[in-house]
Amino acid sequence: DNKGTPFCLTEEFAAVYRLHSLSPPGLILGDGDAKDKFIGLEDLLGDEGRKQMRETKTRPKEMMKSCLHWPCGALMSSNYPNAFRDVAPT
């Protein structure tokens, strides 16, 4: 029930939408040495993201470690990841 309005956004959507600038441009898999692998954000979305997740048995753990270990994007205006510009709504 939207209380008579034809369309409205939930508070949760608005809160998460404002956090888009914290999204990094991708994930760095590794421990900070020369063998690190960078996976761009565009390769982590949709079917390609599922494929990346299943690449090795330890990949989900590596991705989670990367999310917790490496810093996120800078919180500033106009810092919108380019990968999000090409995502089609479902």
Side-chain angles (χ1 to χ4, degrees), residues 25-78:
L27 294 179
I28 302 169
L29 304 180
D31 294 321
D33 56 14
K35 296 182 283 184
D36 289 349
K37 179 178 180 182
F38 177 80
I39 302 174
L41 187 59
E42 59 277 357
D43 295 329
L44 296 170
L45 303 172
D47 292 334
E48 185 63 30
R50 283 186 279 283
K51 191 166 95 178
Q52 287 290 337
M53 186 72 96
R54 295 179 181 124
E55 189 170 304
T56 65
K57 190 174 185 177
T58 59
R59 182 55 61 93
K61 186 175 181 179
E62 293 170 353
M63 289 177 149
M64 183 57 72
K65 183 178 177 184
S66 176
C67 290
L68 299 172
H69 183 74
W70 298 100
C72 59
L75 186 57
M76 53 199 245
S77 65
S78 302

